[in-house]
Every structure is written in structure tokens, then in C-alpha cells.
Amino acid sequence: MAEARPDPDQLLERIKTEEARARHGHLRIFFGASAGVGKTYAMLEAARGVHAAGTDVVVGYVEPHGRVETERLLEGLAHLPTLAVRYRGMVRQEFDLDAALARHPDILLVDELAHSNLAGGEPPPRHPKRWQDVAELLAAGINVWTTVNVQHLESLNDLIFQSTGVRQRETLPDHVFDEADDIELIDLPPDDLIARLHAGKVYVDEQVEAAVERFFRKQNLLVLREIALRRVADRVEAAARALPADRTPARIAGDRVLVAVGPDEQAEQLVRTGKRLADALDAHWTVVYVETPALLRLSELERNRRIDVLRLAESLGADTVTLDGPSAAATLAEYAQVRHATRVLVGTPKRRGWRAWLRPSTATELVRRARTFDVVLIAPNPRRAPPAPPAATGIAGAAAVAHWDRYAWAGTITVLATLLAFAMYPHFELSNLVMIYLLGVTVAGLRLGRGPSALTAVLNVAAFDFFFVPPRYSFAVSDAQYLVTFGAMMTIALVIATLTASVRQQTRVAGARERRTALLYAMSRELAATRGIANMARVAVRHVAEVFECQAVVLLPDTHGKLRHPTETPLESSLRHADLAVAQWVADHGRRAGLGSDTLPGTPGLYVPLGDEGRTVGVLAVLPANARRVLLPEQSHLLETFAGQIALALARAHLAEVAEQSTLAAERETLRNTLLASISHDLRTPLAVMAGAGSTLAERGASLDEATRVALARSVETKAREMSELVSNVLELVRLESGQVVLRRDWQTLDDLVGSALGACAERLAAYPVEVRLPADLPPVWVDATLVVQVFVNLFDNIAKYTPPGTRVWVSAVAGADGETVRVTLDDDGPGLPAGNPARLFDKFQRGSGEGTVVGVGLGLAICQAIVRAHGGEIEARRREGGGACFVFTLPATEAPPATEAAA
């Protein structure tokens, strides 16, 4: 059996991963079930061992908690100075990240990985969490040893709270634990840990009793120990699954887990449970938030909860999606089928009794609709913790604003419907008047919203009863059947109001999303059509500011790689005072910083890299008027999409500039080489003739007869003139292409110009019969006579060089159809043009017959083209029918000369 060949793509990806890990620092975590098991002690013991072997080990931050044994182990190890942070009137010592980066030891010891930095301190921390400091250290290539307790893992937070009754506020994402290079479990039986606690080896004496009472109970410690052992076992199993495919059996199909969350207290519990289930199943998982019309009516503070929930899900490795629809259950069921989900996690139904019958909960409806997936109901945690303080996202909860003017319009609609009904009353039945009132409810639902439309429904029923139902102008009812009419009318009106208000709200949401998509497309299209990096940056700022209702700026690097403010005139929506220090950090690390991020969250604006860590072409800085515009998950993803499109456009423009510079450099090099080759050949020949003739005259001039001396002198003169013309052609072309030539235009007749050229070339054209065919009514041309004569001279000279004697030449011209140009044609019946594209003859250093014996560097036709174009015309070469060559060019003309010249 042939050995299966490995996949080249997988091998390449594996090599890239190994290279990245080699540059990345290694993280070693000393992991325990609770405080006091000896994590810090074990870390220091291991550090002393490698330090004795010669490794550079530095203590970045270790908290001994007054333990004598721990303090002894710190002796002999190098320490980094701590950072004094002023916080609420006191000074606390914190880990100094910049000092650690500057010291760059082989191994850095940083205790308490889940620690929260002092966000409100001075100086402010770069990151809100210590694990983020450690991530930056690892990215800089520094190996870090640290400690973590099991209760600090985010996905286990609810489970541990349910088991122990203690909510841990300081947590870290599970991916930090999962991506660690080494995990060393420090295990200690509960009885031994309690004994250490009473012996004062965990906390000082005054804290022991409180610790035993609140947390260090044997049952709690047993639970924590079991969870820690299981978590380490899960990591070992995940490592086994990560082995190459040839060592483990492939899975037939993977699970996909969907977690449905809302703005309630159970949302975070559902996210953490979904994380644990996804890890157990090795499944891809997605957290879904469905924004129904009912949720859209919640206050800003309640709706903002989903920002924290979805950010928590993303930190745990989930994909997050925000959907909108009239029903959460229907939207979830449809999305689960589209994504081929195998399990959907939802909270248990919260409605009971008749309310559950009238309005089934999302879980009940989802179970009823489930066909291709399982529905997993998660019971709420019986131990309710106090609600967590809102995250520092910069979003202020705003109370719902009552639009009282809409309620006034609701009453106005009832009045208008009643007036219309009065006009119809003598001619229509009462059932038709009911339709008028229902139409008013529909209009109110579409234009005013749910509350005003419900008020319209009530007022319409009352107005119908009072003004039209007998006895009129009274709320009394003579016929009990009208009570049924009122009930049906009220029910239909409320249903119409509810449906139209829902449609109105969903239309607004869909319209806003469609508008954002259209604006993204518009920006991409405009960027594709824009040239120049500065212009692209202005286009990007204008579109980003419009979509996200913010001030924005694109910060680009200078030649030294340092970001700078734009030098162009700013737009009205430009952010003029972006923090360059924060932006430079973003450009160097390829990660966002500022508002709502993990780095410098206290910064007012948000800074997004344009590109990735390997290649950042700039930074997009935005300062939103409303933080929701950039912090909502879907808005954040949209901003990343905008940043990606801007980065692609800027990278394309940069590559185009580099390519253009490379092309110009290559053309300059080719031009230089061609010029040297041409001039060296065409100068060498006449110089050799001149040197030979001069040498003969100098050595044997007295012995030569008069005719021989004259012939030698003539040859020197001829070759010197050829060299002068060659150099003049080069200089003339340089002057023309550099724009240094000022045209001295005047009205000229083509007869005079051709006659001057023929006179200058009389000797060279002696063997070439030339026939001039110029019509008598040919208009004069508005040209520089000297330059146009040069065009004719070069063309005649070209004929004399590349056609045999006796070749016939015709010069003709016709006025253009528009009367503004004259079309000049030079024909000959010689051997014709060389093979290839005739347009290449006008390139520099192009010669019709290689080097040969013809003197010249191939600039004559290039000079002709430059002169004709300087006059606003064009020149082209053609192959003449019947043999020969044809050159055609246009010159500016007028139907009649100026009045002054005509009078003369």
C-alpha cells in the first residue's frame, strides 16, 4: 500500500505556525484549585532551579501575602521595580510593563494572571487586565511564568458560583489558558489546605476566620479540586485531538452549537454554558442575539447589556451574530437550519400559567419548531448574584423619551377620521364607517408607532360609539349587538396597530442596515476610482464619518515609519487631535486600542489598524458622538470591514506607487544603457574617421596633392557636422520633453515651411525627386516655424537614410473637416517600414535598420512626435498601399488668417 503523501498546504501552515511560535514567548501557568495550594511557591522553586543553571530569570511581580517561605524563595532573584500608581488618594504598587519590555529577560515571573489593573489610576494602565500585559510580553518574545486559580476561568464562572456561592469578579478568557505552552497542576487535598490555612500559611491570622467562613469549606474545596482536575484533563484531551491527522482518526461530522441570548440576567450564564458544551463536543459555536420589535422598545441601558454579553462571547472564542425579525423563535429556527446547527441553547421558559398560554416563550416556540436540531434548556442559576457593574464601555444609559407630540397626532387622526365619517354618514352604512376608523389606526401605526396607534384605536372606538351608534351623541348602546362590533373593532384595531408598528420598526432597522451596506459599497467603489494615497484617505474619512456619525482621520506613516497628522486641509468631519502615541502603538502591534478595546480603554477615541500586525499601512482613528455606533458588535464588525477596505485601497495605492517608481527606474536604466550604446557607436565611427584624416594631414600633409588634402579636410568637416547633429538631437529631445521649450507661434503657410525644409535638405535629397501637392485654398497654420521645419527636415532626412536613391517623395496636405487642423502627409515608394508595430518607430533610440552604416541614434522621429504633440497634434506612421512608407501628422490651423494679417 502506497504511503499517503502529506498535504503541502498543511505542511506550509504547520511550518508558519512553528516559526510564529518560535518568535513568540512561551507561557507557563502554575494552575491550582484555590489560593494556598502552593502555586507561587512552586513557581519560585522552579525559577530558582533554572536560575542556578544560568538562565536570566527576573521577578516582575510576585505577591508573597506575608508568607515567610515565599519571601525566602525571592532572595537571590533579580527584581523589576514596581510602578507606583496613585488611586483614590493612595499609592499602590503595580507591575511595570514598560520596565519588563525594556529589561527583556529570558524568563519573567508575573503572579496572579487574572489581576485587574487600576483603570482609574495615575498613570493609567495600558491594558485593563494583567493577562493582556502578559500577552504583550509574549508577543515581544519574553517567556512568562504565572499563576492562575480555576475559579478565574471565565467559562467556569457560573458553575463555580453555583457550587460555592461565591462570584469571582476577576476572570480571564479561556483561550489564554488553552493557548499556554505548559500547564503545571499544583494539587493539594482539601484537608491539607485547611490545615495550612489554620497554620497561617495562606492568610494572616485576622483573615483566616473570614476565609473559612466564606469560602474555605471542605465541600467547596472538593468541588474546586474536581473542576480543576477536569479542566486539566480537558486540555490534555484537546492536545491529543490537535495531533496530526495521521495519528488520530478523523471525525465524520462536527457539532455546531447555537447559543440564543437576550438582554436578561441569564445571558452570561448561557454564554459560559455554551462555551463548556462546545469545548466538550469540540464544536464550533455561535452566540445569537435576535432584536425583535419588543426588544427595540427597551431602554438604552437594557439594550446596552447585549454589548457586554456579546463581547464576553467573543472573548471566549464564539462567533457573534445579531439578527432582527418579528419573532425570536422563528428567526432562531431559520438561522439554525441555515447554519446546520446541531444544538441550540436557550434559557428555560419564564412565563407561567395563562401568560404562557397566551404568549408562549421563545424556548417553547423553538421546541415546537425544531426539526433538524436539538433544543437544550438551561435552568437559571438558583443562586442569584447581584448584577455586575456595567463595563466601562463609554455608553451612558438613557431613559426612554416619550414623544408626546405623537400622541397629540393620534388624537388628530381620530378627529380627521370622525370628520370624514360625518361626511359619509348620510350615504353609507355604519359598517363602512368602521373601515374609515380602521384606516386611521393603520396610518397611526405606520407613522406614529405602537403607543400612539393603540391610543388611536381606543379613541376611534369611542368616537364611533359616541357620534354614530344610536342613540347618537351618547355612550349608551341601544342594541347589545353593537357591543360585539365594538369588541371586534377594538381587537382588529389593536392588531393592526401592533402589526403596522412592528413593520414600521423593522423597516427602519432593515433600511438602516441596507444604507450601511450601500455606503460600504459606495466607499469601495469610490476608493477604487481614486488615485493618490492622500485623496483615498479623505474619501475614507468622509464615508466613515457619515456611517458611524463620528469624527475620523486616517493617520499615515512618514518615510521613517512614524505616524503623522495629515498635512492637507481637514474636512469638517476630520478628527484633528488624534493621539499619535496611541496610534503608533496600534500601528506597531496591529491591534486596536482606545474606546471599548482591551488596550487604553480610557482613551476617548477608537484606533483601528489598517492592515495586520505584519503589514500595517496606517491607522483609522474615530471619535463617535454616540459610543454605541462603534461598540455594538455588528457595528464593530462593520468598522473592521470599513478598515479592511481602506487598508486594501491604501496598500494597492502604495504598491502602484512602488511599481511606478520601479518602472521609471527600469526605464531610466534602459534609457541610459541605450543612450550609451547608441552614442558610443555613432561617435566612435566619425571620431575614427576624423582621427585618421587628421593624422594623415599632420604626418604627410606636405607630400599630398591639393585634391587629397581637400578631401581629407571635407571628411573631417562632414563627420564633425554629423556629431554636432547627433548631440543636438539629444539635447533637443531633452528640452522638448522637459517642457522647457516655449513655442513662438505665428501664422505660417505650409508652402513656406515645406520650402524651407527642402532648402535645408537640398544636398541630401539631390537623388530623390520630391513632389509637393498643396492645394491653393489650404489655410495657414498657427505654429512655431522653426520647430515645424525641423519636423519636415527629420522626415526628409529619414527618407534619405533608409531608402535607395531614386525613391520618389510626395508632400500633400488637406484641411480638417472641422476647419481647425491641417493634415499633412509624406509618402515615398521606397522599401517601406520595418516589421513590427509602426508606432514603435517614434520611441527613443529606435532605428529602422539596426546599427548598420547609417549614422544616428534613433531620435529623429521621437523629436518629430514631441514637436507635433507640443502643438496639440498627433503623428503616425503607416505602410503605404503599393509599397513604401507614409507619415501623417496634424497641425493647428484656422480657416482664415487674422484680420491684421489679411489686411496686410
Side-chain angles (χ1 to χ4, degrees), residues 262 324 342 427 531 551 567 573 598 864 878:
D324 62 272
T342 56
H427 312 288
R531 295 295 177 266
Q551 295 178 351
T567 57
S573 56
D598 295 332
C864 291
R878 302 174 181 172

Short mmCIF file of all heavy atoms in Angstrom, two decimals, residues 262 324 342 427 531 551 567 573 598 864 878:
data_model
loop_
_atom_site.label_atom_id
_atom_site.label_comp_id
_atom_site.label_asym_id
_atom_site.label_seq_id
_atom_site.Cartn_x
_atom_site.Cartn_y
_atom_site.Cartn_z
N GLY A 262 -30.52 37.01 25.24
CA GLY A 262 -31.31 38.23 25.23
C GLY A 262 -30.77 39.18 26.28
O GLY A 262 -29.76 38.90 26.94
N ASP A 324 -32.43 40.35 13.23
CA ASP A 324 -33.67 41.04 13.55
C ASP A 324 -34.82 40.32 12.85
O ASP A 324 -34.66 39.79 11.75
CB ASP A 324 -33.62 42.50 13.10
CG ASP A 324 -33.46 42.64 11.61
OD1 ASP A 324 -32.30 42.66 11.15
OD2 ASP A 324 -34.47 42.74 10.91
N THR A 342 -26.51 21.80 15.31
CA THR A 342 -26.98 20.53 15.88
C THR A 342 -27.62 20.72 17.24
O THR A 342 -28.45 19.90 17.65
CB THR A 342 -25.81 19.55 16.01
OG1 THR A 342 -24.77 20.15 16.80
CG2 THR A 342 -25.25 19.20 14.64
N HIS A 427 -74.81 58.70 3.49
CA HIS A 427 -74.81 57.91 2.27
C HIS A 427 -74.32 56.48 2.46
O HIS A 427 -74.44 55.67 1.53
CB HIS A 427 -73.92 58.59 1.21
CG HIS A 427 -74.19 60.06 1.05
ND1 HIS A 427 -75.33 60.56 0.43
CD2 HIS A 427 -73.46 61.16 1.44
CE1 HIS A 427 -75.30 61.89 0.44
NE2 HIS A 427 -74.18 62.28 1.05
N ARG A 531 -7.23 58.07 -7.14
CA ARG A 531 -5.79 57.90 -7.25
C ARG A 531 -5.10 58.81 -6.24
O ARG A 531 -5.51 59.93 -6.02
CB ARG A 531 -5.31 58.25 -8.67
CG ARG A 531 -5.85 57.30 -9.73
CD ARG A 531 -5.30 55.90 -9.55
NE ARG A 531 -5.86 54.96 -10.51
CZ ARG A 531 -6.91 54.21 -10.27
NH1 ARG A 531 -7.52 54.28 -9.09
NH2 ARG A 531 -7.35 53.36 -11.18
N GLN A 551 -16.23 61.70 14.21
CA GLN A 551 -15.09 62.35 13.59
C GLN A 551 -14.04 61.28 13.31
O GLN A 551 -13.86 60.36 14.11
CB GLN A 551 -14.51 63.44 14.50
CG GLN A 551 -15.46 64.60 14.75
CD GLN A 551 -14.86 65.62 15.69
OE1 GLN A 551 -13.82 65.40 16.29
NE2 GLN A 551 -15.54 66.75 15.86
N THR A 567 -1.37 66.57 6.40
CA THR A 567 -0.98 67.96 6.12
C THR A 567 -2.00 68.67 5.23
O THR A 567 -1.92 69.89 5.09
CB THR A 567 0.39 67.97 5.42
OG1 THR A 567 0.33 67.16 4.23
CG2 THR A 567 1.46 67.40 6.34
N SER A 573 -15.59 66.81 9.00
CA SER A 573 -15.74 65.64 9.86
C SER A 573 -14.41 65.04 10.28
O SER A 573 -14.39 63.94 10.85
CB SER A 573 -16.56 64.56 9.13
OG SER A 573 -15.96 64.24 7.89
N ASP A 598 -9.25 46.41 24.60
CA ASP A 598 -8.51 45.89 25.75
C ASP A 598 -7.28 46.71 26.07
O ASP A 598 -6.61 46.44 27.06
CB ASP A 598 -8.08 44.44 25.47
CG ASP A 598 -9.28 43.51 25.35
OD1 ASP A 598 -10.31 43.82 25.97
OD2 ASP A 598 -9.18 42.49 24.65
N CYS A 864 10.23 64.48 -33.77
CA CYS A 864 9.04 64.87 -34.54
C CYS A 864 7.78 64.72 -33.71
O CYS A 864 6.91 65.61 -33.69
CB CYS A 864 8.94 64.02 -35.81
SG CYS A 864 10.22 64.36 -37.03
N ARG A 878 2.52 54.79 -41.33
CA ARG A 878 1.70 53.75 -41.94
C ARG A 878 2.50 53.08 -43.06
O ARG A 878 3.46 53.63 -43.60
CB ARG A 878 0.41 54.34 -42.53
CG ARG A 878 -0.46 55.08 -41.56
CD ARG A 878 -1.62 55.74 -42.30
NE ARG A 878 -2.49 56.50 -41.41
CZ ARG A 878 -3.47 57.28 -41.84
NH1 ARG A 878 -3.70 57.40 -43.15
NH2 ARG A 878 -4.22 57.95 -40.98
#
